[in-house]
Amino acid sequence: MKIYRRSIKKSTSMYTLKPIVVILALFLLMTIGNLKGFLVFLVIVACTATQLFYVVLTENSLIVQNPAYRFWHAEFQFNTIEKIEIGYKGGLSRPYIQVMTPAKKSWRYVTDLVDERDYPDLIQTLREKGFTVETPGLHHILNKHENL
């Protein structure tokens, strides 16, 4: 079993969330007792946690797991996978993984907990297992860590 995961503290989501949390905390202090302000804070934190996925490769399956919402995971048996897309849309977005099976396409899971330096190894491992791995927009991340 191989796990592609980094600390939540090192994720891009937490890096960008810190200033927002400080501003919202100040906002909450100014509006103590304001239910709307508290709900806005909870929604932003909950939405950020939806981007915290990492990848686990077992002997015969690929698992995409979210540590914040432990019930939210997807397991794909190797014999059902047709193609895997690990991509990046650019800008402020984060890399994602999407698995195509004969039945359907999976969601695009934002893999913010996979370290950028692990993508070349992840892609190579999946290709060695015989999968077609497409990497749209991921070339700048792969090139950045090529010489590491």
Side-chain angles (χ1 to χ4, degrees):
M1 177 164 60
K2 193 158 190 178
I3 300 173
Y4 295 93
R5 179 181 179 175
R6 66 179 168 183
S7 167
I8 290 177
K9 293 177 185 177
K10 294 182 179 179
S11 70
T12 309
S13 296
M14 289 302 134
Y15 178 75
T16 56
L17 186 64
K18 286 177 188 176
I20 295 171
V21 168
V22 171
I23 292 168
L24 286 175
L26 292 173
F27 175 73
L28 286 175
L29 287 174
M30 293 184 333
T31 59
I32 292 179
N34 184 349
L35 183 62
K36 289 180 185 178
F38 181 69
L39 290 176
V40 168
F41 176 75
L42 285 180
V43 167
I44 289 174
V45 171
C47 288
T48 299
T50 64
Q51 301 180 16
L52 300 174
F53 284 94
Y54 63 94
V55 177
V56 178
L57 294 178
T58 65
E59 287 295 318
N60 54 6
S61 65
L62 181 147
I63 302 169
V64 183
Q65 179 73 45
N66 185 314
Y69 301 115
R70 294 206 176 265
F71 62 87
W72 196 355
H73 71 281
E75 184 172 355
F76 304 95
Q77 298 296 320
F78 285 157
N79 60 356
T80 63
I81 297 174
E82 288 184 343
K83 181 173 69 170
I84 300 169
E85 183 176 301
I86 300 174
Y88 178 69
K89 295 291 184 186
L92 296 175
S93 68
R94 288 143 182 97
Y96 64 88
I97 188 167
Q98 185 174 24
V99 180
M100 283 63 131
T101 63
K104 63 178 181 170
K105 289 182 181 180
S106 73
W107 289 13
R108 286 186 175 168
Y109 296 97
V110 179
T111 53
D112 195 15
L113 289 184
V114 176
D115 194 333
E116 286 185 356
R117 290 174 281 183
D118 288 339
Y119 282 106
D121 182 49
L122 173 61
I123 292 166
Q124 180 182 356
T125 302
L126 290 170
R127 286 182 175 155
E128 286 172 358
K129 291 187 179 288
F131 298 113
T132 302
V133 180
E134 295 180 356
T135 57
L138 202 65
H139 58 276
H140 89 282
I141 291 175
L142 298 175
N143 293 339
K144 182 166 60 170
H145 299 290
E146 190 174 81
N147 298 323
L148 294 179

